[in-house]
Amino acid sequence: MVLVSLLSKPRIVRQASLACQGSVAHGHGKWTQFHRAFASSGLCKYPDTEAREWASRREGQPPSPQTKDKPSSPPANWDEHPDLSISTFSELPSTNFGINQHMVINDEFKEALRQILWQFRAPIRYAFAYGSGVFPQTASPPTLSSSKLHPKPSAAISNVQGGQGKMIDFIFAVSYTQHWHSLNLQQHPDHYSALRYAGSYAVSRIQDTWGSGVYFNPFVTVNGTLIKYGVVNLDTLCRDLSEWDTLYLAGRLHKPVKILRDDARVRLANQVNLLSAVRTALLLLPSTFTEQELYSTIAGISYLGDVRMSFPTENQNKVANIVTNQLANFRRLYAPLIENLPNISFKDPRTSQPDWIQDPRTNASMAQDMDPVKRGNMVRRLPKAFRGKLYFAYQSKFQIPQLEFKKMLEAANDEDPVRVKRKQGGEFERRVAGDESESLKKEVRKVIKKTIRWPSVSQTLKGIVTGGAINTWRYVSEKFAKYREGTKRTETGERAQKENGK
């Protein structure tokens, strides 16, 4: 039966399925059991996005030499010098590289989301849907949103949202910003605020030079569904994912999203982003912790400097709600990456059970190696822009003379035109990693806030211009209502705990 089902699939899909099985059959060391559990959960399968359609169109053609000779698992140090100039999936480090980024959702719901994309004639290179409209953040149905929020939603959207309408958020990555807005202004002028009268050049300039490089059109109806979509240049997205210059979109992709249209370069950059999130979280965590603490630390990175968290417009339990209700998806996203890290492991016998991947009751215990050399290497491999800010923070703390610090930065330069350098931590990185736990945590958190704060403020201000005053007021009102609902639920839970404790 397995052979028949595999032979009935397109060639590229068969290769991915066999590669996935191979990772289980030939798993190594402590992770062999984990691979078996991951495969048996049904999560280990080729992503059902445009990649499958692309594979179907290639049916009957021999596999390219690059694909044919690719290993099923990436090299151990693939992230040291990733080639972010790639343009095809065959140039990725392995055949099933980045498969962890693709979340499995209801097929009809996925198709309804993809149909929304097809309503845009302007070319979209990469797209994902995210937020509570796609992935529930509470176990119970929302009470705020009216079922009439969506004018005429598809049955699939109504079923997934439980009849409670929630706006669906999208990000579209495009090759040429002005060209895209020029086409979209012709097709959907009603999606834009009064800024549309200034033309595509003004729209694209505001997008690219103000805030985080994203232009949002909120509260627009497409296919009878209320959506918000943000447009970003593909280069801007890849730079934030690989270097963390703003963490605006990189932070969104730290959490499960549904990729609807994939791109090889973005997939590679996002894998770097996810690995960076794990390393940063490890610097903020003690030697032992739980799986939920790891994912909560990762999910909380993008909220540390978010100006919205300073006002009563966000549910203060948002991170906990996201992780608790999406634990299986966080496992799918991060467990394959943890596999390749030498300084973190599961320390829980429950992970040997075949069904633990999908079990929300399992909160596996974990441990990290606090060896200063390994942690120094981890610091050295942090994203370029983020690492630079952390270095400057510790130059001040350690009172390193400017000339000595400059030489150290030159030695740590990733872009040496003469030779390729391995990203190995030196004495300075080991001093940073060996700093007292609370002090290191404080400095890392300060750098995260510094990275996020201004882009968050400027993006929020830009939203008033790009969304219009009415939509901005509507957005803030709904956020405030969510905050009150979250506060009410917290107070109710606390009262229930006190009553049960009596």
Side-chain angles (χ1 to χ4, degrees):
M1 290 296 293
V2 174
L3 180 61
V4 172
S5 65
L6 283 175
L7 290 176
S8 67
K9 296 179 181 181
R11 177 176 287 103
I12 306 300
V13 179
R14 290 203 306 270
Q15 289 174 347
S17 299
L18 290 169
C20 200
Q21 291 177 16
S23 69
V24 177
H26 303 291
H28 48 84
K30 62 184 179 180
W31 288 104
T32 304
Q33 289 182 327
F34 171 77
H35 276 136
R36 291 197 184 105
F38 197 66
S40 66
S41 71
L43 295 178
C44 190
K45 70 179 188 177
Y46 195 74
D48 49 0
T49 61
E50 265 67 19
R52 174 171 291 187
E53 294 183 358
W54 175 82
S56 299
R57 290 196 294 269
R58 287 180 53 85
E59 179 65 9
Q61 299 180 21
S64 66
Q66 298 96 327
T67 302
K68 186 177 180 181
D69 298 332
K70 284 285 182 183
S72 61
S73 299
N77 296 318
W78 66 266
D79 64 303
E80 286 199 23
H81 298 282
D83 181 8
L84 294 175
S85 65
I86 65 171
S87 57
T88 63
F89 289 99
S90 64
E91 296 175 275
L92 290 169
S94 62
T95 52
N96 57 346
F97 184 87
I99 197 172
N100 56 298
Q101 299 174 24
H102 287 266
M103 300 298 109
V104 178
I105 64 172
N106 176 276
D107 283 341
E108 289 76 18
F109 183 46
K110 175 203 68 180
E111 186 59 30
L113 297 177
R114 292 174 64 189
Q115 286 300 320
I116 290 174
L117 296 189
W118 289 115
Q119 303 310 307
F120 293 84
R121 289 198 293 266
I124 300 169
R125 286 279 301 277
Y126 179 87
F128 65 86
Y130 66 99
S132 59
V134 182
F135 299 100
Q137 294 178 7
T138 58
S140 57
T143 58
L144 284 173
S145 302
S146 166
S147 58
K148 296 181 180 179
L149 181 71
H150 301 303
K152 194 176 180 182
S154 68
I157 290 176
S158 294
N159 290 338
V160 167
Q161 295 191 346
Q164 304 292 324
K166 290 186 75 67
M167 185 166 65
I168 298 177
D169 299 335
F170 294 85
I171 292 292
F172 301 158
V174 305
S175 298
Y176 304 101
T177 307
Q178 184 178 350
H179 175 65
W180 196 92
H181 283 295
S182 176
L183 295 175
N184 202 47
L185 279 165
Q186 294 177 35
Q187 184 187 8
H188 299 297
D190 55 312
H191 289 187
Y192 292 79
S193 67
L195 194 61
R196 66 181 180 271
Y197 297 113
S200 61
Y201 176 77
V203 169
S204 62
R205 287 292 295 171
I206 288 176
Q207 173 185 320
D208 292 333
T209 62
W210 194 1
S212 305
V214 187
Y215 189 103
F216 281 105
N217 281 327
F219 299 105
V220 300
T221 301
V222 180
N223 271 13
T225 304
L226 192 70
I227 72 168
K228 176 182 75 176
Y229 65 91
V231 183
V232 63
N233 186 277
L234 203 67
D235 293 335
T236 302
L237 174 60
C238 288
R239 184 172 60 251
D240 193 35
L241 292 174
S242 59
E243 299 184 12
W244 284 15
D245 55 348
T246 69
L247 265 171
Y248 191 81
L249 291 175
R252 275 169 169 73
L253 284 160
H254 288 167
K255 298 170 278 291
V257 303
K258 181 55 190 174
I259 298 171
L260 301 166
R261 195 165 294 175
D262 208 351
D263 178 86
R265 187 156 65 107
V266 179
R267 191 191 292 189
L268 178 60
N270 192 34
Q271 203 76 336
V272 173
N273 173 46
L274 297 174
L275 200 54
S276 299
V278 174
R279 288 175 173 145
T280 302
L282 290 178
L283 294 175
L284 295 169
L285 289 166
S287 58
T288 58
F289 47 91
T290 66
E291 189 184 15
Q292 200 152 8
E293 286 174 332
L294 172 65
Y295 301 146
S296 295
T297 303
I298 291 172
I301 288 174
S302 62
Y303 294 114
L304 276 178
D306 193 334
V307 66
R308 296 173 301 173
M309 300 303 288
S310 304
F311 301 101
T313 55
E314 287 288 353
N315 185 345
Q316 298 301 305
N317 298 315
K318 187 169 188 174
V319 172
N321 290 340
I322 291 172
V323 175
T324 301
N325 291 283
Q326 294 298 321
L327 189 56
N329 282 333
F330 272 94
R331 285 176 182 149
R332 176 176 176 83
L333 194 58
Y334 288 104
L337 296 173
I338 292 172
E339 170 190 359
N340 291 319
L341 289 174
N343 58 331
I344 179 175
S345 60
F346 286 99
K347 297 292 184 181
D348 198 312
R350 288 174 294 182
T351 59
S352 63
Q353 300 299 317
D355 59 347
W356 81 277
I357 293 290
Q358 292 287 69
D359 186 1
R361 297 167 299 177
T362 298
N363 184 19
S365 56
M366 305 183 72
Q368 65 167 315
D369 190 340
M370 304 300 282
D371 175 69
V373 174
K374 290 181 180 178
R375 285 174 68 79
N377 290 341
M378 199 162 62
V379 170
R380 178 67 180 83
R381 296 185 181 193
L382 292 174
K384 179 181 175 182
F386 182 82
R387 187 181 72 234
K389 294 184 181 77
L390 186 64
Y391 281 7
F392 278 109
Y394 270 95
Q395 179 208 9
S396 175
K397 181 173 182 177
F398 293 156
Q399 296 183 335
I400 300 174
Q402 183 62 36
L403 184 60
E404 181 182 341
F405 183 68
K406 184 178 179 181
K407 289 181 180 179
M408 184 198 71
L409 289 181
E410 290 174 354
N413 184 14
D414 296 339
E415 300 168 355
D416 192 320
V418 179
R419 60 190 178 91
V420 176
K421 296 180 180 179
R422 292 207 64 186
K423 292 186 177 180
Q424 299 286 357
E427 181 183 352
F428 176 74
E429 286 83 6
R430 288 193 287 273
R431 283 187 68 189
V432 171
D435 192 14
E436 192 271 326
S437 176
E438 288 303 314
S439 177
L440 175 61
K441 186 186 300 185
K442 180 181 177 181
E443 293 297 336
V444 171
R445 288 171 66 91
K446 281 169 59 178
V447 172
I448 293 172
K449 290 178 180 179
K450 185 177 181 181
T451 301
I452 295 172
R453 177 67 65 178
W454 173 243
S456 172
V457 170
S458 55
Q459 188 69 41
T460 300
L461 294 174
K462 182 168 74 172
I464 299 173
V465 177
T466 60
I470 295 176
N471 281 337
T472 299
W473 175 252
R474 181 179 177 183
Y475 178 79
V476 171
S477 298
E478 290 192 0
K479 286 291 185 181
F480 182 63
K482 285 184 179 181
Y483 171 83
R484 286 186 299 177
E485 182 184 30
T487 302
K488 184 178 179 181
R489 284 182 177 173
T490 301
E491 292 173 349
T492 302
E494 289 175 351
R495 281 198 302 269
Q497 286 182 347
K498 289 180 180 178
E499 290 174 0
N500 292 334
K502 290 181 179 178

